[in-house]
Each structure stands twice: as C-alpha cells, then as structure tokens.
C-alpha cells in the first residue's frame, strides 16, 4: 500500500498539464470517482488496523496534493485563456485607415492663391456676417440697387446681412491699413438664389485688390493674363468685355480662351472658344474716398472670381451641388489632385 501511494504521488507530481484537455485528463485519472485516488480509498478497508492511521493520513495528503495541483493549474489556465483573448499580435499588418483628401474647392482655392502669392499678394479675411456699409454702401451701391433687395441677399435684420461677395473685405482692409495694397480675399459668400445645377445659396470667391501710385488698367490686364496662363496653361489668351459694377470704373468681365477645346469650340465654351471666369475693373475713386484713401494719389484694380466656377471648368464638374453634398464617391476622385 505504501508503495502504491508513493507511486501515485510521483505520477501526480510528474503529470504535465499545459492545456484544458490535459487538466481534464488529470481529473479523470486521479480525482474522479473512477480515478486512482478513489481506488486507494476503496482498498483502504483492507489495510491492517494498526497501519490505518498512518496510511489514512498519507492517502489524505495525496488527495490534497492532487486536488490542489489540479485547482492551481486550472486557475492559471483560465487566466492565460483571458490573456490569449486580449493578446495583440504586434507583427500583424495594421488596419488600413482610409485617408481623407482635400476638397476640390480647397485644392482650387490653394492653386489660385499660390499663383498670386508668387507675385507678392497676401491674404486678407473678414466676417461672413456683414453690415450694410461694408457689403454695399462703401462699395458705392446706390440705395435702390437690386442686390439690396431681400430677393438677392439674406438679411439678418435691418443692419446685418450675410455677405454677398468678399469685396466687403477690401473695404475693411483699406479702412484699417495704409496703401499700397496687394491682397487676396478668399471666402464664402451667400446669395438668395434657388438651388440648381448652376446656382446655389452659397459659394466661394477669391477677390483681389491692388492699390498703389500710378496703377493702370494695363497693370490689371497683365496681372490677370499671368494668372490665366498659370492656371489654365501657357497658351491661354484673355479677353476683357466691358461690364458694370458699382465699385469699379471702368469694369470688365474677363474670359479665357477655352482650355478644353483649345478655343476650337465645344459645349463648355458653347462653341464660342471663350469662357467667362471673373469680373474686374479699376477701383472707383468714390470707393477709395469712402475708405479714407486719397484718390488723387492712389489708384488700383480689383477682381473677383467664383472658386466653384473655376473648379467646375478645371475638373469638368457639371453640377454645382456636388461641391456641398459631401458624397465620398465625388470627393474621392480628387485625392490624386492633392499635391
Ligand atoms: N464683387 C464682384 C462679385 O461678387 C466681383 C468683382 C470684384 C468684380 C472686384 C469687379 C471687381 O460679383
């Protein structure tokens, strides 16, 4: 009997338990009803009376050893089970996060700005909620100008409106600084228009202002020709058609030769070979005076273009609404242009 106990003790001690299946095997072999320990207990009745005390104690010790080995291993196995679940394999390839891209209007704005920045223009900004003075009066809009109508402008109350152009920033710049000026005013503007493929209640502009001594119409023409060639290609030509703005005199609309068909005629230029891209003109002396600048000393030009319009021409987008719908299928197409 003593030998059996010693043997069993060795077996229990040497039994390797590394996983749940082996633990179960250990339990069946030694601890279960049909296990070896129970057999020992069953044979205990045959032990001589004078040995019972000693043998009984040995069997109990053995049982305790087996049970505690089983319990300890079971516990460490379940602990390492949990660990396996939360274990990260740091050698695995990482998740692919879809990276965003710049919005086509941002890309277009940046290229417009960088072309002018190369010839010394800086960027100015101002509020989107404007008072009547900065958006209209200082810019020489007569009292009865249609833009002052509720139908064209979003008024907030009788004093404030959402700016209808970023010319309001030109006024702020001139009021608060001394000439010369060579600045760009990019920003969002609002007009009360029915939303369609060609019109929206808001869009984006880049306007520009150049004021110094002896600035002429020829300076404006050359500056805008430089811009057009940089933006649309070296072969681009420009043409100025007389127009009217309250704040410029003379005023013009500027067309560029159609860079899509090389001025041969296509549906983008409506077979004319020209596409209109901006308004411009010599700043009206009345505007300079309104902003505290001596119009006898200084003169200059201003221009303004819609970023959407340029982006639509450049990327052949035929619906203005696409720019503000945030449809990733549309936006994704510009990722390659993000350089
Ligand atoms: N402010 C004009 C507009 O919004 C654009 C413009 C700016 C025209 C400067 C001439 C000179 O349409």
């Amino acid at each position: 009997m003593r030998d059996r106990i010693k043997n069993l003790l060795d077996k229990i001690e040497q039994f390797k338990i590394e996983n749940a299946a082996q633990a179960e095997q250990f339990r069946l072999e030694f601890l279960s009803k049909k296990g070896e320990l129970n057999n020992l207990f069953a044979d205990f009745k045959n032990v001589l009376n004078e040995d019972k005390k000693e043998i009984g104690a040995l069997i109990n010790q053995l049982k305790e050893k087996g049970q505690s080995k089983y319990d300890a291993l079971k516990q460490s196995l379940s602990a390492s089970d949990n660990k396996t679940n939360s274990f990260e394999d740091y050698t695995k390839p990482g998740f692919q996060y879809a990276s965003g891209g710049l919005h086509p209007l941002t890309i277009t704005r940046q290229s417009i700005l960088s072309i002018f920045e190369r010839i010394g223009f800086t960027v100015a900004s101002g509020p989107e909620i404007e008072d009547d003075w900065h958006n209209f009066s200082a810019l020489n809009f007569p009292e009865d100008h249609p833009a002052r109508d509720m139908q064209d402008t979003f008024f907030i109350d009788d004093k404030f409106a959402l700016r209808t152009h970023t010319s309001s920033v030109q006024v702020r710049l001139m009021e608060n600084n001394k000439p010369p000026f060579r600045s760009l005013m990019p920003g969002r503007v609002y007009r009360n228009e029915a939303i369609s493929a060609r019109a929206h209640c808001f869009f984006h502009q880049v306007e520009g202002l150049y004021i110094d001594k002896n600035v002429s119409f020829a300076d404006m023409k050359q500056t805008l020709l430089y811009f057009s060639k940089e933006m649309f290609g070296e072969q681009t030509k420009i043409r100025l058609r007389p127009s009217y703005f309250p704040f410029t005199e003379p005023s013009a609309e500027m067309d560029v030769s159609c860079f899509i068909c090389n001025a041969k005629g296509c549906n983008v230029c409506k077979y004319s070979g020209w596409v209109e891209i901006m308004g411009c003109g010599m700043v009206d002396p009345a505007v300079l005076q309104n902003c505290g600048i001596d119009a006898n000393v200084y003169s200059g030009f201003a221009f303004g273009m819609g970023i959407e319009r340029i982006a639509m021409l450049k990327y052949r987008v035929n619906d203005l609404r696409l720019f503000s719908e945030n449809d990733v299928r549309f936006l994704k197409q510009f990722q390659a242009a993000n350089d």
Side-chain angles (χ1 to χ4, degrees), residues 311-329:
M312 283 172 95
L313 289 169
K314 247 194 122 87
Y315 298 123
R316 312 284 296 277
V317 177
N318 55 15
D319 193 327
L320 190 59
R321 291 169 290 198
L322 287 165
F323 290 119
S324 47
E325 280 169 355
N326 275 340
D327 186 332
V328 281
R329 292 169 302 175

Side-chain angles (χ1 to χ4, degrees), residues 164-167 170 189 191 203 205 207-208 245 247-248 251-252 278-281 301-305:
T164 60
H165 50 188
T166 57
S167 304
Q170 304 189 10
V189 301
R191 290 185 195 174
F203 62 99
Q205 285 188 321
E207 295 211 354
F245 298 101
F247 36 90
T248 48
S251 306
M278 69 168 94
C280 57
F301 61 85
F303 55 88
M305 66 193 107

Side-chain angles (χ1 to χ4, degrees), residues 253-265:
E253 301 282 355
M254 191 187 88
D255 300 339
V256 290
S257 52
C258 184
F259 48 89
I260 288 158
C261 62
N262 270 332
K264 287 188 185 73

